[in-house]
Amino acid sequence: MKMKIKDGVNIAGLKSEMILGCVIINDYLNKMPVEFVITSGTDGKHGIGSLHYVGLAVDVRIRDLRPDILQGVVTDLKNRLGVQFDVVLEQTHIHVEYQPK
C-alpha cells in the first residue's frame, strides 16, 4: 500500500527530515494490512510552538490498527526513526516529529 494524505490535509512545507521520516513510516506500515494515512501535516490546530507549523511533524491515523499492537508499533517506529524523532501515541493518532536532541 502507498502513503495517503487525508482530504484537506496540507503537507506543503514539510521539511526534508520529516519527508524521510514519512518514507520510513510508510516502509514499516506497508508490512501490515493497514494504510498509512497522514491526518495532519502543516495544517490544523496544535499547541503553541508545535513543530507541525514549521513542517517538522505529522500525525498518523491509528484507527485501522488493533489496540493490542499499538504500543508495539510506536516502539518499532521509534527504533526505525532513531533518537532524532519523537513518536508519541495520542488518543486518536500517532504524532511523529523531528526534534534533534
Side-chain angles (χ1 to χ4, degrees):
M1 291 184 208
K2 294 183 181 177
M3 178 183 338
K4 292 189 177 182
I5 301 164
K6 180 180 168 184
D7 286 342
V9 168
N10 188 0
I11 60 165
L14 280 183
K15 303 285 192 247
S16 58
E17 296 89 348
M18 200 63 246
I19 293 170
L20 176 59
C22 287
V23 169
I24 293 168
I25 296 166
N26 187 58
D27 181 62
Y28 172 72
L29 291 180
N30 270 337
K31 295 175 174 76
M32 303 178 147
V34 297
E35 291 180 325
F36 169 34
V37 181
I38 296 175
T39 60
S40 184
T42 55
D43 60 307
K45 292 186 180 185
H46 307 281
I48 295 171
S50 170
L51 294 178
H52 281 277
Y53 299 126
V54 294
L56 291 173
V58 297
D59 292 336
V60 178
R61 177 175 290 161
I62 61 171
R63 72 177 183 207
D64 299 326
L65 290 169
R66 293 190 339 257
D68 61 310
I69 68 166
L70 279 174
Q71 195 56 57
V73 168
V74 169
T75 299
D76 287 348
L77 288 175
K78 284 180 180 182
N79 290 334
R80 289 170 185 268
L81 291 166
V83 297
Q84 294 183 327
F85 284 86
D86 292 329
V87 182
V88 180
L89 179 59
E90 303 283 352
Q91 186 174 1
T92 61
H93 62 274
I94 296 173
H95 172 82
V96 181
E97 65 182 30
Y98 178 77
Q99 189 174 42
K101 309 299 182 259

